[in-house]
Amino acid sequence: MRRGINFGALCLVASVLGATGARAEVIYDPATRVFRLVGGETEYDLGIDPEGYVQSLHWGAALGAPAPLAAGPGAGAAGPDAPHQNLPQEFAGQGEGFVPEPGIKVAFSDGNRDLVLRYAGHRIAGNTLFLELRDIARPLLVTLRYDVDPATGVVSRSAVVRNGGKASVRLDQFLSATFTLPYQPDYRLSYMTGRHASEWTMNRTPVTGAATVMESRRGSTSYHANPWFSLDREGLTTEESGPVWFGALGWSGSWRIGVGRDLFGRVRMAGGFNPYDFAWTLKPGETLESPVFHVGYSDHGRGGAARLMHRFVNGSILPEGSRTRPRKVLYNSWEATGFDVTEAGQMALAEKAASIGVERFVMDDGWFGARDSDRAGLGDWSPSRTKFPNGLKPLIDKVARLGMEFGLWVEPEMVNADSALYRAHPDWVMNFPGRPRTEARNQLVLNLARTDVRDHVLAALDRLLSENNIRFIKWDYNRTWSEPGWPERAAGDQQRIYVDYVRNLYFILAELRRRHPGVEFEACSSGGGRVDLGILRYSDQVWTSDNTDPFERLAMQGNFTSAYPASVMMAWTTEWGDPGASLEYRFLSAMQGGLGIGNDLNAWTPQDFRTAKAMVAAYKRVRATVQHGELYRLAPPDGTTPYSDTLYVAADRAQAVWFHMGHSVAVRDNVGPVLLRGLDADGVYAAAMIDGGALPEGIPAKASGAWWMSRGGVVPLKGQYAGVAVVLSRQ
Ligand code: GLA
C-alpha cells in the first residue's frame, strides 16, 4: 500500500519577495524535521515528532537563529489522558481519544470513526508549504496548505481531504485549521458581535478552559458574530504595544471559530465550516477543500494588528482594481425615497447630488418588477413598467450627462412568493417537501447550490449589466436561511447546500467581474451581515451598517477597522440619530471610510448644499490617505472618553488626517493635547482645517513631525456633537 507522497524532503528553503521587498520564506530542516514559515516580522513553525504527528511549535515574533525547535514526545501527557489525547497537533483527526477540537471527524462506511493523521510528505513551492497527512491505516489523506504573505507575514491556512479508498466516507466536521499557543497566564480574546443596525460590538474576555465559540448557523456570515478574532496578553498588550495574534476566515457561509485552553493552559483555536448541520459524503477519489483561515501576529498592539490586516486585505484579498482605485463618493436614494422610486424623482435627486461633487449615483430598492413594498417583486430583475416606462436608459443617460456613474441595488439570491420567478419556479427555493417554507422579510432563499438556479441568477445579472450602462452593483442579502433542503439530491448529499451555495455565489461574482471588468460591487446584508475575507475577494466595498447615526457609527467604525480596512468601509451622511448633530459633524464621521451621502436632498437648504460641496471636495483631497493609509486610534471611540481621535497617515507619510470628535464634552473634561503617531519626525508639516476654517490657537501653521508626536495639538471641543479634522501636509 502507498504510505503517502514524499514531495521531496531535501527542499530546504524557498523564499519569495513581496512588492515592497519584504521576504517570505519556508524553511525545512531535515535534521530536526522542523518547518519555519517566516514572513515580515513574524514566524509560524511546526515540526514532525518521532511518531510522525505534526505538532505546532511557534506562532509569533520571528525567532532568528539559532532557534532550537523540535517536536518532542510528551507534549500531551496529562493525568488520566494518554499522551496522544492532548498533543498540540496542527490538524488532528478525531481518533484515539483526541480531546481538543479536531480538524476533521469522519465516519467510514463500516462504522469506524477512528482517524489518526500522521505526516506523509511535503512540498515547498515558493512561499507555500503543502503538508500531507495520512491516516495510520486507511487511504484518507489531508493536505494542509500554508501561504506566507511577504508584506505582512500573514499565514493563510486551508486543508483538502481526499478519499483514496473504495467506499464513501461521511465527513461530520472539516475545519480550515487548528492552532496552539503556549501557556501564558493572561490571554484575552477579542471578537465582534451584533444585530441589525447594531453591528460591530467589540467583546473582550479572558481565555479559560471553557471554550468561547463564535459562529454563524444562518447559512451566511451574519452579524451575530463576525469571523474575526484577536488574542492578546491582558498584562502586556495595549492599543500600540505588546503581542497580538489575529485572524479571519475567508468564508461567507455558516462558520465557526472556537477558542479555549487545554489541560496545559495552552490556547487551542479551531475554525472553518460550521459542523452545525454539516455532513458531506466523500465518494471514492473525491476531495473537499476547506475555506482559508488567515492568521497573523503583531508586536505593536491592537493598532499594529489592525494595520497588518488592512495591508493584507488591501494588498492580497481585494479584487485587483480596488486595491488601488479610491472609493467613489456615492449618493444612495434609499433613505430619501424608500420604495417610492420614480424616474422623475431619481432624476431630481441626481441633479442635486451632482451639484455637490458626487461621483456615483445609486438607485436602491424599489425600481424593478412589482416592487412597491418588500412584499413583492424580488426575483424579477426588469425595471418596473410603471416607474420606468422607457427602461432605465433615460435615467442612466441623465446621470452620465451629470458626470456621474450609475449604480443599482439588487438582491439576486432572494425571491418574494409574489413574483413571476417564484410562480414559474417554486422548486427553486431551498425547501423540505411537504413542510412549511418560512418567510423572513416576506422572502424566500433561492437554492443557489443548484446549477440551474446559479445559471439563471448569473444570466439575469449579466443581462442587466450588458443592456445598461451600470458601473456599480449594491448586492444585498436580507434574510437568514430556514428549511435548507435540497430535495433533488440524494439524502446523504443534501447538506452540501452549505458549501455549494457559497461556492456558486463566488462563482457568479467572479464571472460577472470577468465579463464586466469595469463594474464594482458592494456586499450588503441588511447592513454589515456579510463581511468576511471570502466575499471581499469579489467585492470592492461593503455596507457597514444600516445604522448611520454619526455618533454611534464612530464606535462601529473603530471596531470594524480592527479587522477590515477603511477602504472597504462605506459610511453615509443621513438624517439618522439626534437632529442636533450638524451636517458637518455627520460628514466628519462618514469621511473616515468610503464617503456616501444618503440624505433626502430635497429637504436641504442652500447652506446644506454649500457645506456638503465643501466637505466632498475636502474628502477627495484626503481619501487616498483615509482609505489606504496607516490607521491610528489615538483615543478609540469606545466610550471611555468623551472624545475620540482617529489618525490616518499616508504610506509615504506626506499627508496625515486627524479626526478629533467629541460627544457630550463637559467643561470639566480636559481634551488634549493629542499626540499623533507615525509621522516623519524630521519632516515639516503644514496644518489646515479640513473645512478650510481658521486654525485654532493650539494648532501651529507649521511644525515638525517630532513636534506633533511629542507635543501635540490642542483643539477644545464643547457640547453634544463637536468635531474637527486637521490635515497635515509635509512641505
Ligand atoms: C437593506 C439594506 C439597505 C437597503 C434596504 C433596501 O436593509 O441594508 O441599505 O438597501 O435593504 O430594501
Side-chain angles (χ1 to χ4, degrees):
M1 202 197 323
R2 198 161 140 234
R3 296 290 301 175
I5 307 160
N6 194 328
F7 288 118
L10 284 177
C11 184
L12 295 183
V13 181
S15 72
V16 163
L17 275 179
T20 55
R23 186 177 289 279
E25 281 182 331
V26 178
I27 306 159
Y28 178 61
D29 179 354
T32 55
R33 305 222 289 176
V34 167
F35 298 91
R36 297 179 65 184
L37 282 55
V38 185
E41 294 169 12
T42 72
E43 177 164 341
Y44 185 104
D45 303 328
L46 42 136
I48 307 161
D49 77 11
E51 290 181 281
Y53 293 101
V54 178
Q55 293 189 27
S56 313
L57 293 179
H58 174 74
W59 171 20
L63 298 177
L69 290 162
D81 295 349
H84 302 139
Q85 291 184 274
N86 292 290
L87 268 191
Q89 294 187 55
E90 274 290 282
F91 198 90
Q94 175 170 295
E96 59 179 347
F98 187 73
V99 178
E101 197 61 54
I104 177 170
K105 296 182 188 175
V106 303
F108 290 95
S109 58
D110 60 356
N112 171 45
R113 300 187 315 283
D114 188 67
L115 182 71
V116 178
L117 296 173
R118 293 201 189 155
Y119 173 81
H122 74 268
R123 180 165 65 92
I124 296 171
N127 53 342
T128 302
L129 167 65
F130 297 93
L131 194 65
E132 184 109 28
L133 308 175
R134 191 181 194 286
D135 179 56
I136 49 173
R138 299 184 177 207
L140 193 111
L141 295 109
V142 175
T143 306
L144 306 182
R145 178 177 176 147
Y146 302 77
D147 291 289
V148 191
D149 179 47
T152 58
V154 166
V155 175
S156 299
R157 281 192 60 183
S158 58
V160 177
V161 55
R162 187 160 73 83
N163 179 3
K166 291 192 168 57
S168 291
V169 176
R170 193 183 75 222
L171 301 179
D172 292 325
Q173 169 158 316
F174 189 51
L175 302 183
S176 304
T178 57
F179 304 87
T180 309
L181 287 168
Y183 170 80
Q184 291 296 339
D186 52 1
Y187 283 113
R188 174 175 52 184
L189 172 70
S190 301
Y191 59 97
M192 286 186 275
T193 53
R195 57 190 155 81
H196 179 241
S198 183
E199 300 90 332
W200 313 113
T201 299
M202 188 64 78
N203 309 269
R204 299 197 202 280
T205 177
V207 182
T208 70
T212 303
V213 173
M214 295 86 78
E215 66 176 340
S216 164
R217 300 178 165 197
R218 292 177 163 79
S220 71
T221 320
S222 132
Y223 32 51
H224 190 175
N226 185 267
W228 166 88
F229 76 91
S230 92
L231 280 163
D232 60 26
R233 300 271 318 275
E234 192 156 11
L236 288 181
T237 311
T238 68
E239 177 67 19
E240 292 296 340
S241 68
V244 179
W245 298 260
F246 60 91
L249 267 178
W251 188 242
S252 312
S254 289
W255 59 273
R256 190 180 77 176
I257 299 175
V259 181
R261 284 189 189 265
D262 70 5
L263 276 184
F264 297 82
R266 296 177 294 216
V267 169
R268 287 280 306 178
M269 188 174 46
F273 292 134
N274 196 332
Y276 166 82
D277 202 27
F278 178 89
W280 185 285
T281 305
L282 203 60
K283 301 193 177 68
E286 282 186 352
T287 59
L288 174 65
E289 190 172 352
S290 77
V292 183
F293 201 161
H294 308 273
V295 298
Y297 172 80
S298 171
D299 247 342
H300 304 286
R302 293 187 292 272
R307 290 188 290 276
L308 280 181
M309 271 294 271
H310 300 168
R311 223 175 295 154
F312 178 66
V313 174
N314 282 329
S316 301
I317 296 286
L318 292 180
E320 198 70 43
S322 56
R323 288 182 193 169
T324 48
R325 268 198 308 260
R327 301 295 84 225
K328 302 219 160 168
V329 177
L330 67 76
Y331 178 78
N332 181 294
S333 60
W334 174 246
E335 294 289 330
T337 67
F339 293 101
D340 192 11
V341 170
T342 63
E343 186 184 83
Q346 292 290 310
M347 286 183 173
L349 286 169
E351 275 178 15
K352 293 180 172 123
S355 77
I356 56 171
V358 164
E359 299 161 302
R360 172 180 282 163
F361 181 83
V362 185
M363 179 160 66
D364 210 277
D365 200 349
W367 61 270
F368 52 92
R371 188 75 167 168
D372 293 325
S373 72
D374 62 16
R375 284 184 293 278
L378 282 179
D380 301 338
W381 301 110
S382 314
S384 152
R385 290 213 190 89
T386 48
K387 296 175 184 172
F388 296 94
N390 302 307
L392 297 179
K393 192 167 188 321
L395 174 61
I396 294 179
D397 288 350
K398 167 99 179 174
V399 166
R401 279 198 303 280
L402 289 165
M404 299 182 291
E405 288 184 353
F406 182 76
L408 195 62
W409 180 96
V410 291
E411 193 178 355
E413 298 153 76
M414 301 290 170
V415 68
N416 285 114
D418 184 1
S419 68
L421 185 69
Y422 188 67
R423 281 185 282 274
H425 298 287
D427 55 321
W428 278 11
V429 300
M430 47 181 74
N431 72 93
F432 291 116
R435 314 277 313 167
R437 299 179 177 195
T438 304
E439 295 187 14
R441 210 193 186 205
N442 307 304
Q443 61 199 56
L444 297 157
V445 191
L446 287 172
N447 182 359
L448 213 61
R450 285 173 57 143
T451 309
D452 52 357
V453 175
R454 177 198 77 184
D455 292 346
H456 169 82
V457 169
L458 174 60
L461 269 291
D462 186 36
R463 192 172 58 247
L464 204 55
L465 292 174
S466 302
E467 291 175 357
N468 300 284
N469 183 18
I470 296 168
R471 314 300 291 165
F472 172 80
I473 289 286
K474 176 179 174 183
W475 185 295
D476 212 338
Y477 174 94
N478 284 316
R479 67 156 291 185
T480 294
W481 290 15
S482 57
E483 300 95 24
W486 187 355
E488 295 76 19
R489 296 294 299 248
D493 281 336
Q494 287 200 18
Q495 281 146 294
R496 290 176 65 114
I497 195 169
Y498 286 99
V499 177
D500 287 348
Y501 182 104
V502 180
R503 285 181 174 169
N504 282 351
L505 169 66
Y506 292 163
F507 173 85
I508 294 168
L509 286 166
E511 192 57 19
L512 289 172
R513 296 193 76 100
R514 191 186 66 75
R515 294 185 199 174
H516 306 279
V519 178
E520 292 194 349
F521 291 81
E522 176 174 279
C524 173
S525 176
S526 304
R530 193 155 65 184
V531 180
D532 59 79
L533 296 191
I535 204 77
L536 281 171
R537 283 203 178 279
Y538 309 95
S539 309
D540 304 278
Q541 57 192 52
V542 301
W543 182 222
T544 315
S545 173
D546 278 352
N547 181 349
T548 48
D549 177 316
F551 171 66
E552 290 192 29
R553 259 303 180 99
L554 290 179
M556 292 166 101
Q557 292 173 181
N559 293 336
F560 178 101
T561 51
S562 296
Y564 306 104
S567 62
V568 303
M569 179 180 73
M570 293 309 289
W572 302 350
T573 64
T574 65
E575 274 93 43
W576 274 60
D578 190 329
S582 69
L583 185 57
E584 180 157 332
Y585 179 89
R586 291 170 188 275
F587 266 99
L588 288 172
S589 171
M591 288 161 92
Q592 301 190 35
L595 176 63
I597 290 110
N599 301 72
D600 181 0
L601 302 183
N602 296 319
W604 270 9
T605 64
Q607 181 53 46
D608 290 336
F609 279 99
R610 278 194 294 278
T611 300
K613 192 173 177 176
M615 295 305 267
V616 168
Y619 178 70
K620 289 175 183 170
R621 290 193 289 272
V622 300
R623 71 173 148 191
T625 299
V626 168
Q627 294 175 17
H628 287 272
E630 300 279 288
L631 170 66
Y632 297 89
R633 291 169 300 206
L634 305 172
D638 57 9
T640 50
T641 54
Y643 56 91
S644 67
D645 290 285
T646 309
L647 174 73
Y648 301 78
V649 181
D652 65 1
R653 298 183 294 174
Q655 188 187 59
V657 196
W658 162 36
F659 290 90
H660 184 49
M661 310 290 284
H663 178 70
S664 304
V665 188
V667 174
R668 64 175 184 276
D669 291 323
N670 244 330
V671 183
V674 177
L675 309 186
L676 305 192
R677 304 184 76 97
L679 301 180
D680 171 3
D682 299 329
V684 175
Y685 288 88
M689 303 310 285
I690 204 163
D691 63 0
L695 289 177
E697 209 176 300
I699 303 293
K702 277 193 185 155
S704 66
W707 188 92
W708 276 105
M709 293 191 286
S710 333
R711 176 100 187 151
V714 182
V715 186
L717 295 172
K718 289 275 168 288
Q720 285 287 67
Y721 299 98
V724 296
V726 180
V727 182
L728 299 179
S729 309
R730 194 171 52 195
Q731 301 294 287

